């Protein structure tokens, strides 16, 4: 019971995924879960997801490969302990995604979401995989299901996913409304979420507000390389370019 309670707490800390120190902390918490309950699949599933996040944020090389190898080991153990459990399936999908096996990640994640259509954590992972793989309508649909789950202030990423997906679908006002709702509910925020808002405002012709949002982005995350963050997680570079072209315009104007 202690392991399960700690795992549930750590699971709610997973987002934003672009925060490397957060992911390191979450990974350590799940290692503690494994110590407390070595036969409980949740510790391995959570560790796999956190390690997958760290791998995504790590440049190509031996460190990234080691993180991926450990994530695979954790995900495989979760699956061995609970082969039909949605969280174990979702963790398997996320590790595939971290290794840029996009089609396989979508296949497994779709199965996990089918098994647990009301689990916001599973839906957040599924929406994220769909978003970064370029399946924007599916990402928006998954996020909408999670948003309609009725819970708030639980640090879910669904409103951010919904906002980003709608940006890529060309629904800029809907995108901004979702990001605004995310801030109101205390959902996870990150430099990329501010970049999306900046780009959406620019697309709508609200250049003054876009410039203000860009200044806020730079003040809050002065060292964040948003383009590099997005390039490391999106399947298609053109989707990164759609966000970053407006950011570069504002960046040049601020020089």
């Amino acid at each position: 019971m202690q392991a399960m309670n700690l795992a549930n707490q750590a699971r709610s800390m997973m987002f934003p995924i672009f925060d490397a120190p957060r992911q390191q902390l979450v990974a350590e918490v799940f290692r503690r879960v494994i110590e407390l309950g070595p036969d409980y699949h949740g510790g391995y599933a959570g560790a796999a997801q956190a390690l997958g996040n760290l791998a995504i944020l790590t440049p190509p090389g031996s460190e990234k490969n080691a993180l991926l190898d450990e994530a695979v080991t954790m995900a495989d153990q979760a699956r061995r302990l609970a082969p039909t459990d949605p969280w174990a399936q979702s963790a398997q999908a996320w590790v595939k995604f971290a290794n840029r096996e996009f089609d396989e990640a979508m296949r497994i994640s779709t199965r996990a979401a089918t098994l647990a259509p009301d689990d916001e954590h599973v839906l957040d992972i599924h929406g994220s995989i769909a978003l970064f793989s370029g399946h924007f309508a599916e990402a928006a649909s998954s996020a909408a299901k999670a948003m309609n789950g009725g819970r708030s202030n639980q640090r879910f990423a669904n409103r951010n996913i919904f906002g980003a997906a709608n940006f890529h679908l060309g629904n800029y006002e809907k995108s901004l409304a979702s990001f605004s709702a995310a801030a109101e509910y205390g959902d996870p925020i990150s430099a990329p979420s501010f970049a999306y808002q900046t780009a959406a405002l620019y697309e709508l012709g609200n250049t003054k507000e876009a410039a203000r949002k860009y200044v806020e982005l730079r003040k809050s995350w002065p060292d964040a390389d948003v383009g590099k963050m997005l390039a490391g997680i999106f399947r298609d570079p053109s989707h990164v370019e759609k966000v970053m072209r407006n950011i570069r315009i504002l960046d040049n104007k601020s020089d």
Side-chain angles (χ1 to χ4, degrees):
M1 184 62 70
Q2 187 179 359
M4 292 179 65
N5 289 338
L6 185 58
N8 286 331
Q9 293 175 33
R11 201 177 184 188
S12 68
M13 297 168 57
M14 196 77 68
F15 288 90
I17 62 175
F18 297 102
D19 185 342
R22 171 182 293 274
Q23 301 309 324
Q24 291 167 349
L25 173 61
V26 172
E28 289 307 310
V29 174
F30 279 116
R31 293 188 198 279
R32 177 57 179 160
V33 172
I34 293 169
E35 291 177 0
L36 292 170
D39 295 326
Y40 171 52
H41 71 277
Y44 302 97
Q49 289 174 317
L51 290 165
N53 289 341
L54 284 169
I56 289 169
L57 300 175
T58 302
S62 58
E63 183 181 358
K64 185 184 189 76
N65 293 338
L67 287 165
L68 285 170
D69 287 345
E70 189 176 6
V72 168
T73 298
M74 292 290 188
D76 286 347
Q77 180 63 6
R79 187 179 58 180
R80 278 192 291 269
L81 289 169
T84 62
D85 181 82
W87 189 4
Q89 295 284 332
S90 182
Q92 194 82 22
W94 190 250
V95 173
K96 293 289 186 183
F97 173 77
N99 200 38
R100 302 188 73 80
E101 298 176 56
F102 298 102
D103 294 337
E104 185 67 359
M106 274 297 295
R107 184 186 69 81
I108 299 172
S109 185
T110 298
R111 183 171 61 203
T114 300
L115 289 169
D118 299 319
D119 187 327
E120 288 98 331
H121 294 290
V122 170
L123 291 174
D124 269 359
I125 292 296
H126 183 61
S128 296
I129 291 173
L131 170 66
F132 298 125
S133 297
H135 302 289
F136 302 124
E138 175 64 17
S141 175
S142 180
K145 291 176 185 175
M147 289 162 61
N148 293 331
R151 291 198 285 175
S152 62
N153 298 320
Q154 296 292 317
R155 294 195 61 81
F156 291 115
N158 48 70
R159 295 178 185 86
N160 286 297
I161 294 168
F162 190 80
N166 273 285
F167 173 86
H168 289 286
L169 291 169
N171 304 324
Y172 302 119
E173 291 183 355
K174 187 179 290 187
S175 173
L176 286 169
S178 189
F179 281 116
S180 178
E184 291 175 8
Y185 279 102
D187 292 344
I189 61 171
S190 63
S193 66
F194 267 64
Y196 269 105
Q197 293 173 74
T198 301
L201 286 164
Y202 201 92
E203 290 288 349
L204 289 169
N206 194 343
T207 55
K208 288 185 178 180
E209 185 64 17
R212 187 196 67 77
K213 184 65 70 173
Y214 176 74
V215 169
E216 192 175 354
L217 165 64
R218 293 266 63 96
K219 285 183 177 179
S220 300
W221 292 275
D223 300 321
D225 187 337
V226 178
K228 187 176 181 180
M229 289 178 178
L230 295 179
I233 198 167
F234 265 99
R235 180 177 195 169
D236 187 340
S238 69
H239 297 146
V240 179
E241 177 61 20
K242 183 173 173 63
V243 180
M244 294 308 300
R245 65 187 177 211
N246 293 332
I247 303 297
R248 284 196 297 272
I249 292 171
L250 292 168
D251 190 39
N252 291 333
K253 288 182 178 181
S254 66
D255 290 340

